[in-house]
Amino acid sequence: MDSITSRLRRPGTAIAGSAGVALLLLGCTGSPGLGVVSPSPTASVPSAASGSASGDDPWDGQVTADVEVVMQELPVPWGLAPLPDDSFLVTMRDSAMLARVHPSGGADPNGGVEYLAWSSGAQELADQTVADGEGGLLGVTVDPEDAGPVITIFLYRTGETDNAVLRAELDLDSGVLRDLTTVLDGIPKASNHNGGRIAFGPDGYLYVATGDAGDPANAQDPESLAGKILRITPDGEPAPGNPDAGSPVWSMGHRNVQGLGWDPSGRMFAGEFGQDELDELNVIEPGGNYGWPEVEGPGDEAGFIDPVAWWPTSEASPSGIAVTEEAVYLASLRGERLWRVPLLGEASAVADGESPGFGEPQALLEGEFGRLRAVHAGPDGELYVLTNNTDGRGEPTTTEDGRLVDDRMLRVTLTPAE
C-alpha cells in the first residue's frame, strides 16, 4: 500500500463510473465569526480572491466542486479507510457492521449490496460493541504496509464500560474477520464525546483521537486517556518518542477530536468540536495543550495552543478531515458543509520541510447533502465524503415514492475557480 504522505495529492480528474459495495456483517470563547491565522510571522494570509503568497498557484484561491453519488442506503456510516485496491472500508456505528465500498464498481448506487456470512471475529466485534448515543463502531484504519488480500485493520469501538482500539485480520477475498484483539482499552466512554478517529501517521505509529466523555476535567488530567490524542504502537504500547515515555498521550486539552490528518511536510492536523461558540482546526504539537475546558477557540492564553482556523458551531461541528497538498478539508455535521482551508506556500519549500500558512476558509456543498461525517482523499486526488443523516440528528433524504437514499458516499472533484 502507498505511504500516507504519497496519497496526499492535488485534486484532479475524478474516476468515471458508479459504485458497488460488499457489506461484511461484522456485526467555544472568541470571535463569533470564522477566522484563520498563520503560524509564520512572515507569511501573508490573503483573501481567497487575491491568490497566494507566491502569486502563481490557482489552488490558493477558491475552488468549484463537482459531485457524484457513488453509494446510497448506508446505515449510519462513521469511519472511512482506503483499501489496497482503491475500495474503502466503512464502519456502521449502530449496527457494528463493516462495508466494503467500490466507488468504481459499476453497480447502481441504489443496489450492489452483497451480504456475506458471519465469522467468529465479526460476531465477537458485534457482541462487544454498544451503540449508545454517539458511541458504537467508530473509526477504522488499515496497516499501510499491507497489500492484501489479508490485511491488518484497526477499529475504535464503544463497549459496555469503555472505548477501546481493536486489531484484526481481514481477508479481502473471503470477507472473513479473524483474530480480533484488544490493543488499548480503558478509554472513558459516555453517550457523547467519545472521539473515535484513528489513523496511521507518516511515522508508522497509530494515532487515536478521544473525547472528554462528557467530563471536561478529563481533558486536563494527564492520567486520563479522555480528551487526548494518543500515539501508540500497533500492539497498543506508548510509541517511542512520546512526550512521556510511559504514556500514550501525544497531546491534551481536547474536547472531542474526530478528525486527524497530515500534510506533505509531516505537520499534523486535528478537527475539534467546540461547545457553544467555536469549532477548531488545530496543528498538533507533541506535548501540546489545546486549552479545553479553559479555552474554546483562540484565547491567546499562556500554556495553551490556539487553533489555526475556527468557525461558529452552527456552521461546522467538524468530524472527519482530509489533508491534500493544497488544502485541509473538514466534513461538518451541524454546519452541513465541507470546509476547505487552503495551504499557502511554495511547493519547493514544503518539500524542504517548511510548513505553509493558511488561506481564507471556503464552504463547499453547503446544505446540499445534509450532515457530513467523514472525508478522505482518493488515489487520483478526488475526495470521498460520507453523509450522516440517519444518525438520529439529521433529516434523511427519500425519493418521491418514499424510498430512503441516505446515507450516501459522494465523490467530489475539485477544480480551481476561474
Side-chain angles (χ1 to χ4, degrees):
M1 188 180 216
D2 293 341
S3 67
I4 296 293
T5 52
S6 69
R7 294 200 300 272
L8 305 177
R9 300 177 183 172
R10 194 174 299 269
T13 303
I15 304 172
S18 192
V21 62
L23 276 182
L24 313 180
L25 288 181
L26 311 181
C28 296
T29 302
S31 166
L34 64 85
V36 64
V37 297
S38 171
S40 168
T42 60
S44 63
V45 184
S47 68
S50 64
S52 69
S54 61
D56 59 1
D57 188 347
W59 290 99
D60 289 345
Q62 293 189 341
V63 302
T64 58
D66 181 62
V67 183
E68 177 188 6
V69 176
V70 297
M71 183 50 56
Q72 296 183 163
E73 302 179 37
L74 297 172
V76 197
W78 205 98
L80 180 64
L83 292 170
D85 62 356
D86 296 333
S87 63
F88 290 91
L89 279 181
V90 179
T91 59
M92 307 300 171
R93 187 192 71 184
D94 293 356
S95 58
M97 294 191 302
L98 274 175
R100 186 180 179 190
V101 178
H102 300 269
S104 301
D108 188 324
N110 286 310
V113 179
E114 177 184 0
Y115 292 95
L116 304 180
W118 288 85
S119 65
S120 59
Q123 184 67 62
E124 184 181 356
L125 175 62
D127 289 346
Q128 66 173 276
T129 300
V130 176
D132 175 22
E134 297 174 2
L137 185 58
L138 304 179
V140 59
T141 193
V142 177
D143 188 325
E145 300 299 321
D146 287 353
V150 178
I151 61 174
T152 301
I153 69 171
F154 293 81
L155 300 155
Y156 187 106
R157 66 99 182 107
T158 307
E160 289 284 354
T161 61
D162 65 358
N163 289 300
V165 178
L166 313 178
R167 183 181 63 220
E169 284 192 350
L170 177 62
D171 189 322
L172 295 176
D173 288 341
S174 66
V176 170
L177 188 77
R178 56 177 178 259
D179 297 334
L180 190 69
T181 304
T182 299
V183 298
L184 181 67
D185 57 10
I187 302 170
K189 62 157 281 188
S191 60
N192 55 17
H193 302 185
N194 290 291
R197 200 69 62 179
I198 55 178
F200 276 94
D203 56 8
Y205 293 111
L206 187 64
Y207 290 77
V208 181
T210 74
D212 67 10
D215 183 354
N218 284 333
Q220 292 296 326
D221 180 358
E223 301 302 318
S224 173
L225 298 182
K228 309 294 191 299
I229 295 175
L230 312 176
R231 178 174 176 263
I232 60 175
T233 70
D235 293 324
E237 298 298 322
N242 280 1
D244 180 342
S247 170
V249 173
W250 187 245
S251 62
M252 62 187 296
H254 299 291
R255 182 173 181 267
N256 194 22
V257 171
Q258 290 188 2
L260 301 173
W262 290 261
D263 72 9
S265 71
R267 181 173 47 171
M268 183 180 180
F269 291 88
E272 182 160 353
F273 290 81
Q275 182 175 25
D276 299 316
E277 297 184 7
L278 296 176
D279 297 319
E280 302 175 353
L281 174 66
N282 287 295
V283 171
I284 302 301
E285 300 177 7
N289 189 326
Y290 290 80
W292 176 253
E294 304 302 323
V295 178
E296 182 178 353
D300 194 26
E301 292 193 17
F304 298 142
I305 299 175
D306 280 347
V308 295
W310 55 91
W311 299 264
T313 56
S314 61
E315 297 180 9
S317 296
S319 187
I321 72 173
V323 187
T324 71
E325 288 181 348
E326 47 85 21
V328 181
Y329 294 88
L330 301 92
S332 296
L333 294 164
R334 185 180 174 192
E336 298 188 351
R337 66 200 77 181
L338 182 68
W339 280 107
R340 174 180 181 266
V341 180
L343 299 176
L344 306 180
E346 297 280 359
S348 59
V350 174
D352 290 336
E354 296 183 19
S355 297
F358 305 96
E360 180 179 323
Q362 176 189 2
L364 302 169
L365 313 186
E366 186 172 351
E368 295 182 35
F369 296 94
R371 293 161 58 84
L372 305 182
R373 171 63 72 179
V375 57
H376 199 283
D380 293 313
E382 71 278 26
L383 299 175
Y384 289 91
V385 177
L386 288 179
T387 70
N388 208 191
N389 298 310
T390 59
D391 68 346
R393 295 180 176 177
E395 297 181 4
T397 300
T398 57
T399 62
E400 291 184 358
D401 61 1
R403 181 174 183 175
L404 184 70
V405 296
D406 275 323
D407 271 303
R408 292 170 278 185
M409 176 182 278
L410 314 173
R411 179 164 51 228
V412 182
T413 304
L414 303 170
T415 54
E418 298 182 357

